[in-house]
């Protein structure tokens, strides 16, 4: 429970964001986007990256203060790479292969998850 701007403050902010938004967003992607992913390798990568990110957050939640800065850096880098991959590769592949109704429903579900957080 550190002050804003300290590593412990950053850790608290990250864990709060994870609990309030990111974890639910990942679960919604797995439920609504994963079935629409055309390539098995992409589906496996989505699952694997989500699991890796969950693992980093889990370690961060119980990390000693000396480990926090490195875990925060790893989480930020992994999350940025994951989002970049989704935006540049995964989402265009899903859009190209899915039916319009499937895309609309998945989009509504994701938007609803994000609004509820």
């Amino acid at each position: 429970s550190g002050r804003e701007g300290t590593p412990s403050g950053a850790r608290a902010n990250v864990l709060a964001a994870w609990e309030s938004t990111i974890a639910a967003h990942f679960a919604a992607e797995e439920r609504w986007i994963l079935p629409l992913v055309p390539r098995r390798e992409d589906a496996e990568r989505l699952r694997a990256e989500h699991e890796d990110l969950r693992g980093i957050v889990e370690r961060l939640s119980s990390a000693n203060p000396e480990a926090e800065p490195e875990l925060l850096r790893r989480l930020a880098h992994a999350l940025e790479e994951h989002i970049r991959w989704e935006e540049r590769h995964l989402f265009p592949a899903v859009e190209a292969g899915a039916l319009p109704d499937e895309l609309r429903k998945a989009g509504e579900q994701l938007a609803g998850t994000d609004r509820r957080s």
Side-chain angles (χ1 to χ4, degrees):
S1 61
R3 291 189 324 270
E4 203 59 47
T6 66
S8 292
R11 174 181 168 265
N13 290 341
V14 166
L15 293 177
W18 181 266
E19 289 299 320
S20 68
T21 307
I22 302 168
H25 184 83
F26 279 10
E29 281 185 351
E30 290 162 5
R31 180 165 182 199
W32 299 102
I33 300 295
L34 204 50
L36 304 179
V37 174
R39 292 178 62 233
R40 193 181 80 231
E41 304 83 44
D42 290 337
E44 290 170 358
R45 178 172 173 174
L46 180 71
R47 279 196 201 95
E49 289 188 5
H50 282 187
E51 283 309 305
D52 288 345
L53 287 157
R54 287 180 178 114
I56 296 170
V57 169
E58 201 172 296
R59 287 193 295 281
L60 183 62
S61 68
S62 60
N64 61 41
E66 296 78 43
E68 284 177 13
E70 178 57 26
L71 285 168
L72 286 167
R73 275 192 294 277
R74 284 180 55 201
L75 181 61
H77 177 74
L79 196 53
E80 183 181 332
E81 291 295 311
H82 176 68
I83 291 167
R84 184 175 294 137
W85 171 74
E86 283 185 335
E87 289 175 348
R88 292 185 181 167
H89 179 79
L90 183 70
F91 295 149
V94 167
E95 287 172 5
L99 297 171
D101 280 353
E102 293 174 323
L103 288 174
R104 183 187 48 73
K105 184 173 184 180
E108 287 171 358
Q109 293 298 327
L110 281 174
T113 300
D114 292 343
R115 273 196 304 276
R116 283 191 293 274
S117 54

